[in-house]
Amino acid sequence: RAPRARAPGALALPALRVARALRRRGMIYNFYIFGRGRKLLCREEWNRTKPCVDVAEETKLIFGLLITLKSFAQQVGPPKTAGFLSYSTPQYKLHAFDTLTGYRFVITTDPSVPDQQEALRQIYAEMFVEHVIKNPLYVLGEDVSTCQAFVSKLRGFVQTRPFFATLAT
């Protein structure tokens, strides 16, 4: 038998199976920390299939979305609504954690990944406070990539999550 011709751009069956398996497993895509004044302090990414052309523009879009969703939740939610925890689309889920000191921790994942509030709290309390805020060499409001202990712990923590998968696996 002659092999069937595939339509241009169609995925091969094995590639489709891998994509579906990864989808069931869940993935982490991006991680952001925003400081006071909308400043991006940290950005990490994994499993990105489309390269980011303009990081500054993407950052403005993410932060604008956070502000809009928080405002929307406060306006349509019950009295004393502080904001939102997460939202989902068919392509991704955004999880957000706001600290009392004005930092915002954000992670984007596959929609199948469960709530990440506890993970974001843990990153804040056990890694950010310990390795960034308490670091005497760190200047408040600066990029946290200079705090190598924090970046190392963050990457290790994220990559050991039960739903962390890579496109290569």
Side-chain angles (χ1 to χ4, degrees):
R1 279 176 117 182
R4 280 193 262 170
R6 238 181 283 152
L11 283 176
L13 192 55
L16 186 60
R17 285 188 185 130
V18 168
R20 284 185 183 148
L22 287 173
R23 196 86 164 138
R24 282 192 299 272
R25 226 172 124 187
M27 286 187 163
I28 296 173
Y29 301 125
N30 297 332
F31 174 80
Y32 305 90
I33 299 174
F34 293 97
R36 298 177 199 111
R38 304 178 184 187
K39 185 171 182 185
L40 179 66
L41 302 178
C42 180
R43 179 180 175 273
E44 292 286 323
E45 68 178 36
W46 300 269
N47 304 310
R48 189 155 198 153
T49 56
K50 181 180 173 186
C52 179
V53 178
D54 187 347
V55 173
E57 184 65 23
E58 178 184 86
T59 300
K60 285 195 297 190
L61 289 171
I62 293 287
F63 198 83
L65 178 67
L66 293 169
I67 290 171
T68 302
L69 287 173
K70 183 176 182 177
S71 175
F72 179 76
Q74 289 171 333
Q75 288 179 22
V76 300
K80 297 184 182 179
T81 298
F84 75 101
L85 303 177
S86 67
Y87 82 93
S88 291
T89 73
Q91 290 77 31
Y92 69 94
K93 185 174 187 179
L94 183 141
H95 311 262
F97 172 69
D98 291 347
T99 70
L100 295 175
T101 53
Y103 293 100
R104 287 191 169 142
F105 290 73
V106 178
I107 194 166
T108 58
T109 66
D110 184 80
S112 65
V113 172
D115 178 61
Q116 293 303 297
Q117 287 298 299
E118 190 53 42
L120 291 171
R121 273 189 198 91
Q122 191 174 352
I123 291 169
Y124 169 67
E126 296 176 16
M127 292 170 233
F128 186 76
V129 169
E130 292 300 317
H131 299 287
V132 176
I133 300 299
K134 291 183 179 180
N135 182 344
L137 301 176
Y138 176 70
V139 177
L140 286 177
E142 292 298 315
D143 186 350
V144 300
S145 64
T146 59
C147 300
Q148 289 301 312
F150 169 75
V151 173
S152 175
K153 296 245 183 222
L154 172 67
R155 289 177 181 160
F157 178 78
V158 169
Q159 292 173 0
T160 58
R161 304 302 297 161
F163 41 81
F164 182 81
T166 63
L167 293 173
T169 57

